[in-house]
Structure formats: structure tokens, C-alpha cells
PDB file of all heavy atoms in Angstrom:
ATOM      1  N   ARG A  12     -11.345 -17.225  20.764  1.00 93.00           N
ATOM      2  CA  ARG A  12     -11.494 -15.918  20.129  1.00 93.00           C
ATOM      3  C   ARG A  12     -10.360 -15.016  20.604  1.00 93.00           C
ATOM      4  O   ARG A  12      -9.882 -15.139  21.729  1.00 93.00           O
ATOM      5  CB  ARG A  12     -12.824 -15.260  20.524  1.00 93.00           C
ATOM      6  CG  ARG A  12     -14.067 -16.094  20.420  1.00 93.00           C
ATOM      7  CD  ARG A  12     -14.535 -16.413  19.048  1.00 93.00           C
ATOM      8  NE  ARG A  12     -14.620 -15.223  18.206  1.00 93.00           N
ATOM      9  CZ  ARG A  12     -14.639 -15.265  16.887  1.00 93.00           C
ATOM     10  NH1 ARG A  12     -14.581 -16.414  16.274  1.00 93.00           N
ATOM     11  NH2 ARG A  12     -14.720 -14.189  16.176  1.00 93.00           N
ATOM     12  N   LEU A  13      -9.946 -14.091  19.761  1.00 94.00           N
ATOM     13  CA  LEU A  13      -8.925 -13.127  20.157  1.00 94.00           C
ATOM     14  C   LEU A  13      -9.415 -12.266  21.314  1.00 94.00           C
ATOM     15  O   LEU A  13      -8.621 -11.822  22.152  1.00 94.00           O
ATOM     16  CB  LEU A  13      -8.536 -12.243  18.969  1.00 94.00           C
ATOM     17  CG  LEU A  13      -7.765 -12.927  17.847  1.00 94.00           C
ATOM     18  CD1 LEU A  13      -7.529 -11.946  16.702  1.00 94.00           C
ATOM     19  CD2 LEU A  13      -6.454 -13.483  18.358  1.00 94.00           C
ATOM     20  N   SER A  14     -10.702 -12.022  21.384  1.00 95.00           N
ATOM     21  CA  SER A  14     -11.257 -11.179  22.447  1.00 95.00           C
ATOM     22  C   SER A  14     -11.070 -11.788  23.838  1.00 95.00           C
ATOM     23  O   SER A  14     -11.186 -11.083  24.843  1.00 95.00           O
ATOM     24  CB  SER A  14     -12.741 -10.928  22.199  1.00 95.00           C
ATOM     25  OG  SER A  14     -13.454 -12.142  22.157  1.00 95.00           O
ATOM     26  N   LEU A  15     -10.753 -13.066  23.902  1.00 93.00           N
ATOM     27  CA  LEU A  15     -10.537 -13.722  25.188  1.00 93.00           C
ATOM     28  C   LEU A  15      -9.119 -13.532  25.711  1.00 93.00           C
ATOM     29  O   LEU A  15      -8.833 -13.925  26.847  1.00 93.00           O
ATOM     30  CB  LEU A  15     -10.852 -15.219  25.068  1.00 93.00           C
ATOM     31  CG  LEU A  15     -12.294 -15.545  24.687  1.00 93.00           C
ATOM     32  CD1 LEU A  15     -12.462 -17.038  24.457  1.00 93.00           C
ATOM     33  CD2 LEU A  15     -13.244 -15.053  25.758  1.00 93.00           C
ATOM     34  N   LEU A  16      -8.247 -12.931  24.913  1.00 93.00           N
ATOM     35  CA  LEU A  16      -6.879 -12.663  25.339  1.00 93.00           C
ATOM     36  C   LEU A  16      -6.826 -11.323  26.061  1.00 93.00           C
ATOM     37  O   LEU A  16      -7.307 -10.307  25.560  1.00 93.00           O
ATOM     38  CB  LEU A  16      -5.925 -12.666  24.141  1.00 93.00           C
ATOM     39  CG  LEU A  16      -5.815 -14.002  23.407  1.00 93.00           C
ATOM     40  CD1 LEU A  16      -5.034 -13.846  22.123  1.00 93.00           C
ATOM     41  CD2 LEU A  16      -5.153 -15.036  24.305  1.00 93.00           C
ATOM     42  N   ASP A  17      -6.246 -11.315  27.242  1.00 90.00           N
ATOM     43  CA  ASP A  17      -6.230 -10.116  28.079  1.00 90.00           C
ATOM     44  C   ASP A  17      -5.454  -8.953  27.490  1.00 90.00           C
ATOM     45  O   ASP A  17      -5.804  -7.801  27.711  1.00 90.00           O
ATOM     46  CB  ASP A  17      -5.648 -10.439  29.459  1.00 90.00           C
ATOM     47  CG  ASP A  17      -6.537 -11.381  30.254  1.00 90.00           C
ATOM     48  OD1 ASP A  17      -7.760 -11.387  30.016  1.00 90.00           O
ATOM     49  OD2 ASP A  17      -6.003 -12.114  31.098  1.00 90.00           O
ATOM     50  N   ASP A  18      -4.384  -9.212  26.787  1.00 92.00           N
ATOM     51  CA  ASP A  18      -3.481  -8.146  26.350  1.00 92.00           C
ATOM     52  C   ASP A  18      -3.827  -7.526  25.004  1.00 92.00           C
ATOM     53  O   ASP A  18      -3.066  -6.694  24.513  1.00 92.00           O
ATOM     54  CB  ASP A  18      -2.044  -8.669  26.310  1.00 92.00           C
ATOM     55  CG  ASP A  18      -1.557  -9.091  27.686  1.00 92.00           C
ATOM     56  OD1 ASP A  18      -2.084  -8.554  28.677  1.00 92.00           O
ATOM     57  OD2 ASP A  18      -0.656  -9.938  27.779  1.00 92.00           O
ATOM     58  N   LEU A  19      -4.912  -7.922  24.390  1.00 94.00           N
ATOM     59  CA  LEU A  19      -5.286  -7.361  23.097  1.00 94.00           C
ATOM     60  C   LEU A  19      -6.425  -6.361  23.252  1.00 94.00           C
ATOM     61  O   LEU A  19      -7.263  -6.484  24.129  1.00 94.00           O
ATOM     62  CB  LEU A  19      -5.707  -8.462  22.125  1.00 94.00           C
ATOM     63  CG  LEU A  19      -4.629  -9.440  21.694  1.00 94.00           C
ATOM     64  CD1 LEU A  19      -5.199 -10.426  20.682  1.00 94.00           C
ATOM     65  CD2 LEU A  19      -3.433  -8.738  21.114  1.00 94.00           C
ATOM     66  N   ASP A  20      -6.405  -5.358  22.368  1.00 96.00           N
ATOM     67  CA  ASP A  20      -7.423  -4.313  22.380  1.00 96.00           C
ATOM     68  C   ASP A  20      -8.027  -4.235  20.978  1.00 96.00           C
ATOM     69  O   ASP A  20      -7.315  -4.023  19.999  1.00 96.00           O
ATOM     70  CB  ASP A  20      -6.760  -2.988  22.761  1.00 96.00           C
ATOM     71  CG  ASP A  20      -7.713  -1.823  22.799  1.00 96.00           C
ATOM     72  OD1 ASP A  20      -8.921  -1.987  22.540  1.00 96.00           O
ATOM     73  OD2 ASP A  20      -7.237  -0.713  23.096  1.00 96.00           O
ATOM     74  N   GLU A  21      -9.335  -4.377  20.886  1.00 97.00           N
ATOM     75  CA  GLU A  21      -9.996  -4.380  19.585  1.00 97.00           C
ATOM     76  C   GLU A  21      -9.748  -3.086  18.815  1.00 97.00           C
ATOM     77  O   GLU A  21      -9.650  -3.092  17.591  1.00 97.00           O
ATOM     78  CB  GLU A  21     -11.498  -4.606  19.753  1.00 97.00           C
ATOM     79  CG  GLU A  21     -12.221  -4.793  18.439  1.00 97.00           C
ATOM     80  CD  GLU A  21     -13.692  -5.119  18.625  1.00 97.00           C
ATOM     81  OE1 GLU A  21     -14.199  -5.029  19.759  1.00 97.00           O
ATOM     82  OE2 GLU A  21     -14.333  -5.489  17.621  1.00 97.00           O
ATOM     83  N   ALA A  22      -9.599  -1.979  19.519  1.00 97.00           N
ATOM     84  CA  ALA A  22      -9.340  -0.696  18.864  1.00 97.00           C
ATOM     85  C   ALA A  22      -7.979  -0.659  18.170  1.00 97.00           C
ATOM     86  O   ALA A  22      -7.746   0.181  17.306  1.00 97.00           O
ATOM     87  CB  ALA A  22      -9.431   0.435  19.879  1.00 97.00           C
ATOM     88  N   LYS A  23      -7.111  -1.585  18.530  1.00 97.00           N
ATOM     89  CA  LYS A  23      -5.762  -1.626  17.942  1.00 97.00           C
ATOM     90  C   LYS A  23      -5.658  -2.581  16.752  1.00 97.00           C
ATOM     91  O   LYS A  23      -4.559  -2.851  16.268  1.00 97.00           O
ATOM     92  CB  LYS A  23      -4.743  -2.015  19.007  1.00 97.00           C
ATOM     93  CG  LYS A  23      -4.558  -0.952  20.066  1.00 97.00           C
ATOM     94  CD  LYS A  23      -3.452  -1.341  21.012  1.00 97.00           C
ATOM     95  CE  LYS A  23      -3.218  -0.256  22.043  1.00 97.00           C
ATOM     96  NZ  LYS A  23      -2.132  -0.614  22.956  1.00 97.00           N
ATOM     97  N   ILE A  24      -6.770  -3.100  16.278  1.00 98.00           N
ATOM     98  CA  ILE A  24      -6.731  -4.020  15.136  1.00 98.00           C
ATOM     99  C   ILE A  24      -5.970  -3.420  13.954  1.00 98.00           C
ATOM    100  O   ILE A  24      -5.150  -4.123  13.349  1.00 98.00           O
ATOM    101  CB  ILE A  24      -8.142  -4.501  14.755  1.00 98.00           C
ATOM    102  CG1 ILE A  24      -8.589  -5.558  15.771  1.00 98.00           C
ATOM    103  CG2 ILE A  24      -8.184  -5.059  13.336  1.00 98.00           C
ATOM    104  CD1 ILE A  24      -9.976  -6.123  15.539  1.00 98.00           C
ATOM    105  N   PRO A  25      -6.160  -2.143  13.607  1.00 98.00           N
ATOM    106  CA  PRO A  25      -5.353  -1.576  12.512  1.00 98.00           C
ATOM    107  C   PRO A  25      -3.843  -1.641  12.796  1.00 98.00           C
ATOM    108  O   PRO A  25      -3.048  -1.897  11.886  1.00 98.00           O
ATOM    109  CB  PRO A  25      -5.836  -0.134  12.410  1.00 98.00           C
ATOM    110  CG  PRO A  25      -7.236  -0.183  12.939  1.00 98.00           C
ATOM    111  CD  PRO A  25      -7.192  -1.189  14.053  1.00 98.00           C
ATOM    112  N   ASP A  26      -3.457  -1.442  14.052  1.00 97.00           N
ATOM    113  CA  ASP A  26      -2.040  -1.543  14.422  1.00 97.00           C
ATOM    114  C   ASP A  26      -1.536  -2.984  14.292  1.00 97.00           C
ATOM    115  O   ASP A  26      -0.419  -3.225  13.833  1.00 97.00           O
ATOM    116  CB  ASP A  26      -1.817  -1.054  15.855  1.00 97.00           C
ATOM    117  CG  ASP A  26      -2.181   0.409  16.041  1.00 97.00           C
ATOM    118  OD1 ASP A  26      -2.069   1.179  15.064  1.00 97.00           O
ATOM    119  OD2 ASP A  26      -2.589   0.775  17.158  1.00 97.00           O
ATOM    120  N   TYR A  27      -2.355  -3.931  14.716  1.00 97.00           N
ATOM    121  CA  TYR A  27      -1.979  -5.339  14.594  1.00 97.00           C
ATOM    122  C   TYR A  27      -1.839  -5.734  13.126  1.00 97.00           C
ATOM    123  O   TYR A  27      -0.937  -6.506  12.763  1.00 97.00           O
ATOM    124  CB  TYR A  27      -3.000  -6.251  15.284  1.00 97.00           C
ATOM    125  CG  TYR A  27      -3.220  -5.962  16.754  1.00 97.00           C
ATOM    126  CD1 TYR A  27      -4.474  -6.115  17.323  1.00 97.00           C
ATOM    127  CD2 TYR A  27      -2.189  -5.530  17.581  1.00 97.00           C
ATOM    128  CE1 TYR A  27      -4.696  -5.866  18.667  1.00 97.00           C
ATOM    129  CE2 TYR A  27      -2.396  -5.277  18.931  1.00 97.00           C
ATOM    130  CZ  TYR A  27      -3.659  -5.444  19.456  1.00 97.00           C
ATOM    131  OH  TYR A  27      -3.873  -5.192  20.795  1.00 97.00           O
ATOM    132  N   ALA A  28      -2.716  -5.198  12.283  1.00 97.00           N
ATOM    133  CA  ALA A  28      -2.627  -5.475  10.845  1.00 97.00           C
ATOM    134  C   ALA A  28      -1.338  -4.898  10.275  1.00 97.00           C
ATOM    135  O   ALA A  28      -0.684  -5.539   9.445  1.00 97.00           O
ATOM    136  CB  ALA A  28      -3.844  -4.914  10.118  1.00 97.00           C
ATOM    137  N   ASP A  29      -0.958  -3.690  10.718  1.00 97.00           N
ATOM    138  CA  ASP A  29       0.316  -3.100  10.283  1.00 97.00           C
ATOM    139  C   ASP A  29       1.493  -3.986  10.665  1.00 97.00           C
ATOM    140  O   ASP A  29       2.416  -4.194   9.874  1.00 97.00           O
ATOM    141  CB  ASP A  29       0.515  -1.707  10.896  1.00 97.00           C
ATOM    142  CG  ASP A  29      -0.299  -0.636  10.204  1.00 97.00           C
ATOM    143  OD1 ASP A  29      -0.592  -0.791   8.992  1.00 97.00           O
ATOM    144  OD2 ASP A  29      -0.643   0.360  10.867  1.00 97.00           O
ATOM    145  N   LEU A  30       1.468  -4.506  11.880  1.00 96.00           N
ATOM    146  CA  LEU A  30       2.537  -5.401  12.324  1.00 96.00           C
ATOM    147  C   LEU A  30       2.572  -6.672  11.474  1.00 96.00           C
ATOM    148  O   LEU A  30       3.646  -7.155  11.111  1.00 96.00           O
ATOM    149  CB  LEU A  30       2.355  -5.759  13.802  1.00 96.00           C
ATOM    150  CG  LEU A  30       2.600  -4.640  14.796  1.00 96.00           C
ATOM    151  CD1 LEU A  30       2.186  -5.069  16.204  1.00 96.00           C
ATOM    152  CD2 LEU A  30       4.060  -4.214  14.774  1.00 96.00           C
ATOM    153  N   ALA A  31       1.411  -7.200  11.174  1.00 95.00           N
ATOM    154  CA  ALA A  31       1.349  -8.410  10.348  1.00 95.00           C
ATOM    155  C   ALA A  31       1.907  -8.154   8.956  1.00 95.00           C
ATOM    156  O   ALA A  31       2.564  -9.022   8.370  1.00 95.00           O
ATOM    157  CB  ALA A  31      -0.086  -8.918  10.272  1.00 95.00           C
ATOM    158  N   LEU A  32       1.673  -6.958   8.424  1.00 95.00           N
ATOM    159  CA  LEU A  32       2.208  -6.623   7.092  1.00 95.00           C
ATOM    160  C   LEU A  32       3.730  -6.605   7.081  1.00 95.00           C
ATOM    161  O   LEU A  32       4.349  -6.856   6.056  1.00 95.00           O
ATOM    162  CB  LEU A  32       1.676  -5.258   6.632  1.00 95.00           C
ATOM    163  CG  LEU A  32       0.241  -5.230   6.152  1.00 95.00           C
ATOM    164  CD1 LEU A  32      -0.216  -3.793   5.938  1.00 95.00           C
ATOM    165  CD2 LEU A  32       0.087  -6.028   4.870  1.00 95.00           C
ATOM    166  N   LYS A  33       4.332  -6.322   8.226  1.00 95.00           N
ATOM    167  CA  LYS A  33       5.795  -6.268   8.331  1.00 95.00           C
ATOM    168  C   LYS A  33       6.419  -7.640   8.564  1.00 95.00           C
ATOM    169  O   LYS A  33       7.631  -7.786   8.460  1.00 95.00           O
ATOM    170  CB  LYS A  33       6.193  -5.326   9.469  1.00 95.00           C
ATOM    171  CG  LYS A  33       5.814  -3.895   9.188  1.00 95.00           C
ATOM    172  CD  LYS A  33       6.135  -3.007  10.375  1.00 95.00           C
ATOM    173  CE  LYS A  33       5.641  -1.596  10.103  1.00 95.00           C
ATOM    174  NZ  LYS A  33       5.819  -0.725  11.267  1.00 95.00           N
ATOM    175  N   ASP A  34       5.605  -8.620   8.881  1.00 94.00           N
ATOM    176  CA  ASP A  34       6.118  -9.962   9.146  1.00 94.00           C
ATOM    177  C   ASP A  34       6.578 -10.605   7.839  1.00 94.00           C
ATOM    178  O   ASP A  34       5.845 -10.625   6.852  1.00 94.00           O
ATOM    179  CB  ASP A  34       5.025 -10.816   9.788  1.00 94.00           C
ATOM    180  CG  ASP A  34       5.548 -12.143  10.307  1.00 94.00           C
ATOM    181  OD1 ASP A  34       6.082 -12.930   9.495  1.00 94.00           O
ATOM    182  OD2 ASP A  34       5.423 -12.387  11.513  1.00 94.00           O
ATOM    183  N   HIS A  35       7.787 -11.139   7.836  1.00 92.00           N
ATOM    184  CA  HIS A  35       8.344 -11.719   6.610  1.00 92.00           C
ATOM    185  C   HIS A  35       7.555 -12.942   6.127  1.00 92.00           C
ATOM    186  O   HIS A  35       7.606 -13.292   4.964  1.00 92.00           O
ATOM    187  CB  HIS A  35       9.825 -12.076   6.802  1.00 92.00           C
ATOM    188  CG  HIS A  35      10.054 -13.260   7.691  1.00 92.00           C
ATOM    189  ND1 HIS A  35      10.072 -13.164   9.065  1.00 92.00           N
ATOM    190  CD2 HIS A  35      10.251 -14.552   7.395  1.00 92.00           C
ATOM    191  CE1 HIS A  35      10.284 -14.360   9.577  1.00 92.00           C
ATOM    192  NE2 HIS A  35      10.391 -15.225   8.594  1.00 92.00           N
ATOM    193  N   CYS A  36       6.813 -13.578   7.005  1.00 91.00           N
ATOM    194  CA  CYS A  36       6.026 -14.743   6.595  1.00 91.00           C
ATOM    195  C   CYS A  36       4.944 -14.363   5.585  1.00 91.00           C
ATOM    196  O   CYS A  36       4.556 -15.185   4.756  1.00 91.00           O
ATOM    197  CB  CYS A  36       5.384 -15.405   7.808  1.00 91.00           C
ATOM    198  SG  CYS A  36       6.571 -16.173   8.913  1.00 91.00           S
ATOM    199  N   LEU A  37       4.488 -13.135   5.654  1.00 91.00           N
ATOM    200  CA  LEU A  37       3.452 -12.700   4.719  1.00 91.00           C
ATOM    201  C   LEU A  37       3.980 -12.692   3.283  1.00 91.00           C
ATOM    202  O   LEU A  37       3.226 -12.902   2.334  1.00 91.00           O
ATOM    203  CB  LEU A  37       2.940 -11.312   5.110  1.00 91.00           C
ATOM    204  CG  LEU A  37       1.718 -10.814   4.372  1.00 91.00           C
ATOM    205  CD1 LEU A  37       0.518 -11.718   4.612  1.00 91.00           C
ATOM    206  CD2 LEU A  37       1.392  -9.392   4.780  1.00 91.00           C
ATOM    207  N   GLN A  38       5.276 -12.491   3.124  1.00 88.00           N
ATOM    208  CA  GLN A  38       5.868 -12.445   1.788  1.00 88.00           C
ATOM    209  C   GLN A  38       5.814 -13.797   1.089  1.00 88.00           C
ATOM    210  O   GLN A  38       5.811 -13.862  -0.133  1.00 88.00           O
ATOM    211  CB  GLN A  38       7.325 -11.959   1.869  1.00 88.00           C
ATOM    212  CG  GLN A  38       7.477 -10.608   2.546  1.00 88.00           C
ATOM    213  CD  GLN A  38       6.600  -9.530   1.958  1.00 88.00           C
ATOM    214  OE1 GLN A  38       6.504  -9.392   0.752  1.00 88.00           O
ATOM    215  NE2 GLN A  38       5.931  -8.781   2.809  1.00 88.00           N
ATOM    216  N   THR A  39       5.776 -14.867   1.862  1.00 91.00           N
ATOM    217  CA  THR A  39       5.751 -16.204   1.261  1.00 91.00           C
ATOM    218  C   THR A  39       4.345 -16.810   1.276  1.00 91.00           C
ATOM    219  O   THR A  39       4.170 -17.958   0.894  1.00 91.00           O
ATOM    220  CB  THR A  39       6.725 -17.149   1.991  1.00 91.00           C
ATOM    221  OG1 THR A  39       6.348 -17.224   3.377  1.00 91.00           O
ATOM    222  CG2 THR A  39       8.156 -16.652   1.862  1.00 91.00           C
ATOM    223  N   ASN A  40       3.371 -16.029   1.723  1.00 89.00           N
ATOM    224  CA  ASN A  40       1.996 -16.508   1.727  1.00 89.00           C
ATOM    225  C   ASN A  40       1.542 -16.713   0.275  1.00 89.00           C
ATOM    226  O   ASN A  40       1.759 -15.854  -0.570  1.00 89.00           O
ATOM    227  CB  ASN A  40       1.093 -15.488   2.432  1.00 89.00           C
ATOM    228  CG  ASN A  40      -0.261 -16.043   2.757  1.00 89.00           C
ATOM    229  OD1 ASN A  40      -0.395 -17.181   3.163  1.00 89.00           O
ATOM    230  ND2 ASN A  40      -1.272 -15.228   2.575  1.00 89.00           N
ATOM    231  N   PRO A  41       0.928 -17.829  -0.037  1.00 91.00           N
ATOM    232  CA  PRO A  41       0.530 -18.070  -1.430  1.00 91.00           C
ATOM    233  C   PRO A  41      -0.569 -17.140  -1.920  1.00 91.00           C
ATOM    234  O   PRO A  41      -0.767 -16.995  -3.117  1.00 91.00           O
ATOM    235  CB  PRO A  41       0.050 -19.518  -1.425  1.00 91.00           C
ATOM    236  CG  PRO A  41      -0.213 -19.851  -0.015  1.00 91.00           C
ATOM    237  CD  PRO A  41       0.650 -18.957   0.818  1.00 91.00           C
ATOM    238  N   ARG A  42      -1.246 -16.487  -1.004  1.00 90.00           N
ATOM    239  CA  ARG A  42      -2.324 -15.573  -1.376  1.00 90.00           C
ATOM    240  C   ARG A  42      -1.970 -14.170  -0.867  1.00 90.00           C
ATOM    241  O   ARG A  42      -1.793 -13.985   0.338  1.00 90.00           O
ATOM    242  CB  ARG A  42      -3.616 -16.055  -0.742  1.00 90.00           C
ATOM    243  CG  ARG A  42      -4.820 -15.267  -1.116  1.00 90.00           C
ATOM    244  CD  ARG A  42      -6.044 -15.917  -0.504  1.00 90.00           C
ATOM    245  NE  ARG A  42      -7.240 -15.219  -0.889  1.00 90.00           N
ATOM    246  CZ  ARG A  42      -8.437 -15.570  -0.548  1.00 90.00           C
ATOM    247  NH1 ARG A  42      -8.605 -16.633   0.208  1.00 90.00           N
ATOM    248  NH2 ARG A  42      -9.479 -14.882  -0.936  1.00 90.00           N
ATOM    249  N   PRO A  43      -1.859 -13.190  -1.733  1.00 91.00           N
ATOM    250  CA  PRO A  43      -1.535 -11.840  -1.282  1.00 91.00           C
ATOM    251  C   PRO A  43      -2.595 -11.321  -0.302  1.00 91.00           C
ATOM    252  O   PRO A  43      -3.777 -11.645  -0.422  1.00 91.00           O
ATOM    253  CB  PRO A  43      -1.549 -11.003  -2.557  1.00 91.00           C
ATOM    254  CG  PRO A  43      -1.449 -11.975  -3.678  1.00 91.00           C
ATOM    255  CD  PRO A  43      -2.037 -13.257  -3.187  1.00 91.00           C
ATOM    256  N   ALA A  44      -2.142 -10.531   0.668  1.00 95.00           N
ATOM    257  CA  ALA A  44      -3.060  -9.975   1.658  1.00 95.00           C
ATOM    258  C   ALA A  44      -2.769  -8.494   1.852  1.00 95.00           C
ATOM    259  O   ALA A  44      -1.621  -8.105   2.013  1.00 95.00           O
ATOM    260  CB  ALA A  44      -2.919 -10.715   2.984  1.00 95.00           C
ATOM    261  N   THR A  45      -3.802  -7.697   1.835  1.00 96.00           N
ATOM    262  CA  THR A  45      -3.686  -6.266   2.079  1.00 96.00           C
ATOM    263  C   THR A  45      -3.960  -5.989   3.558  1.00 96.00           C
ATOM    264  O   THR A  45      -4.404  -6.871   4.302  1.00 96.00           O
ATOM    265  CB  THR A  45      -4.696  -5.483   1.237  1.00 96.00           C
ATOM    266  OG1 THR A  45      -6.024  -5.846   1.682  1.00 96.00           O
ATOM    267  CG2 THR A  45      -4.555  -5.787  -0.250  1.00 96.00           C
ATOM    268  N   LYS A  46      -3.742  -4.758   3.952  1.00 97.00           N
ATOM    269  CA  LYS A  46      -4.050  -4.379   5.326  1.00 97.00           C
ATOM    270  C   LYS A  46      -5.532  -4.606   5.604  1.00 97.00           C
ATOM    271  O   LYS A  46      -5.896  -5.115   6.669  1.00 97.00           O
ATOM    272  CB  LYS A  46      -3.667  -2.923   5.589  1.00 97.00           C
ATOM    273  CG  LYS A  46      -3.949  -2.495   7.006  1.00 97.00           C
ATOM    274  CD  LYS A  46      -3.504  -1.075   7.292  1.00 97.00           C
ATOM    275  CE  LYS A  46      -3.852  -0.719   8.727  1.00 97.00           C
ATOM    276  NZ  LYS A  46      -3.445   0.617   9.096  1.00 97.00           N
ATOM    277  N   ALA A  47      -6.386  -4.256   4.658  1.00 98.00           N
ATOM    278  CA  ALA A  47      -7.824  -4.466   4.834  1.00 98.00           C
ATOM    279  C   ALA A  47      -8.148  -5.956   4.996  1.00 98.00           C
ATOM    280  O   ALA A  47      -9.011  -6.316   5.809  1.00 98.00           O
ATOM    281  CB  ALA A  47      -8.589  -3.881   3.654  1.00 98.00           C
ATOM    282  N   ASP A  48      -7.463  -6.810   4.234  1.00 97.00           N
ATOM    283  CA  ASP A  48      -7.667  -8.258   4.369  1.00 97.00           C
ATOM    284  C   ASP A  48      -7.314  -8.715   5.789  1.00 97.00           C
ATOM    285  O   ASP A  48      -8.057  -9.476   6.416  1.00 97.00           O
ATOM    286  CB  ASP A  48      -6.796  -9.039   3.385  1.00 97.00           C
ATOM    287  CG  ASP A  48      -7.157  -8.822   1.934  1.00 97.00           C
ATOM    288  OD1 ASP A  48      -8.335  -8.543   1.645  1.00 97.00           O
ATOM    289  OD2 ASP A  48      -6.244  -8.918   1.086  1.00 97.00           O
ATOM    290  N   LEU A  49      -6.171  -8.245   6.272  1.00 97.00           N
ATOM    291  CA  LEU A  49      -5.710  -8.656   7.593  1.00 97.00           C
ATOM    292  C   LEU A  49      -6.626  -8.125   8.690  1.00 97.00           C
ATOM    293  O   LEU A  49      -6.933  -8.834   9.652  1.00 97.00           O
ATOM    294  CB  LEU A  49      -4.271  -8.195   7.817  1.00 97.00           C
ATOM    295  CG  LEU A  49      -3.246  -8.825   6.867  1.00 97.00           C
ATOM    296  CD1 LEU A  49      -1.894  -8.170   7.028  1.00 97.00           C
ATOM    297  CD2 LEU A  49      -3.158 -10.320   7.092  1.00 97.00           C
ATOM    298  N   GLU A  50      -7.081  -6.896   8.528  1.00 98.00           N
ATOM    299  CA  GLU A  50      -8.026  -6.346   9.504  1.00 98.00           C
ATOM    300  C   GLU A  50      -9.317  -7.172   9.510  1.00 98.00           C
ATOM    301  O   GLU A  50      -9.870  -7.453  10.578  1.00 98.00           O
ATOM    302  CB  GLU A  50      -8.336  -4.880   9.195  1.00 98.00           C
ATOM    303  CG  GLU A  50      -7.221  -3.944   9.565  1.00 98.00           C
ATOM    304  CD  GLU A  50      -7.581  -2.487   9.328  1.00 98.00           C
ATOM    305  OE1 GLU A  50      -8.779  -2.135   9.332  1.00 98.00           O
ATOM    306  OE2 GLU A  50      -6.645  -1.689   9.152  1.00 98.00           O
ATOM    307  N   GLY A  51      -9.775  -7.572   8.350  1.00 98.00           N
ATOM    308  CA  GLY A  51     -10.973  -8.411   8.281  1.00 98.00           C
ATOM    309  C   GLY A  51     -10.792  -9.744   8.969  1.00 98.00           C
ATOM    310  O   GLY A  51     -11.691 -10.210   9.687  1.00 98.00           O
ATOM    311  N   LEU A  52      -9.624 -10.354   8.775  1.00 96.00           N
ATOM    312  CA  LEU A  52      -9.344 -11.633   9.451  1.00 96.00           C
ATOM    313  C   LEU A  52      -9.314 -11.459  10.955  1.00 96.00           C
ATOM    314  O   LEU A  52      -9.863 -12.272  11.709  1.00 96.00           O
ATOM    315  CB  LEU A  52      -8.009 -12.187   8.973  1.00 96.00           C
ATOM    316  CG  LEU A  52      -7.974 -12.774   7.576  1.00 96.00           C
ATOM    317  CD1 LEU A  52      -6.535 -13.070   7.155  1.00 96.00           C
ATOM    318  CD2 LEU A  52      -8.809 -14.026   7.501  1.00 96.00           C
ATOM    319  N   LEU A  53      -8.666 -10.380  11.411  1.00 97.00           N
ATOM    320  CA  LEU A  53      -8.589 -10.136  12.844  1.00 97.00           C
ATOM    321  C   LEU A  53      -9.974  -9.857  13.440  1.00 97.00           C
ATOM    322  O   LEU A  53     -10.305 -10.349  14.515  1.00 97.00           O
ATOM    323  CB  LEU A  53      -7.640  -8.979  13.129  1.00 97.00           C
ATOM    324  CG  LEU A  53      -6.159  -9.274  12.876  1.00 97.00           C
ATOM    325  CD1 LEU A  53      -5.341  -7.989  12.875  1.00 97.00           C
ATOM    326  CD2 LEU A  53      -5.620 -10.250  13.906  1.00 97.00           C
TER     327      LEU A  53
END
């Protein structure tokens, strides 16, 4: 689980989703993902 990682903070999930949106790999993902989608996955 992500919660088992020491350096992550659950309150920062929106920030992590923002970072994921900036990752170029998301552009080639076969399924479009919104910030809400990424927050849900996280």
C-alpha cells in the first residue's frame, strides 16, 4: 500500500495527482485520465 511508504502524505494526494498529470507518460496512456481519476487511483 502507498500508506506504508514513509515519505508520502495522504493529504498531498491532490498534489501527487497534479504531478502525475504533468508526466509525459500520461499522454500515451490508452485511456484518458483526469485529476479526479488519478486521485481515485491513489
Side-chain angles (χ1 to χ4, degrees):
R12 312 289 310 160
L13 291 176
S14 59
L15 298 174
L16 297 171
D17 294 333
D18 297 334
L19 294 183
D20 180 0
E21 187 176 9
K23 292 185 178 181
I24 284 179
D26 298 331
Y27 303 145
D29 282 332
L30 290 172
L32 284 171
K33 294 176 184 175
D34 190 300
H35 72 277
C36 292
L37 189 62
Q38 304 307 315
T39 59
N40 193 40
R42 184 176 183 178
T45 65
K46 181 177 179 179
D48 294 331
L49 296 172
E50 285 183 25
L52 286 171
L53 290 167

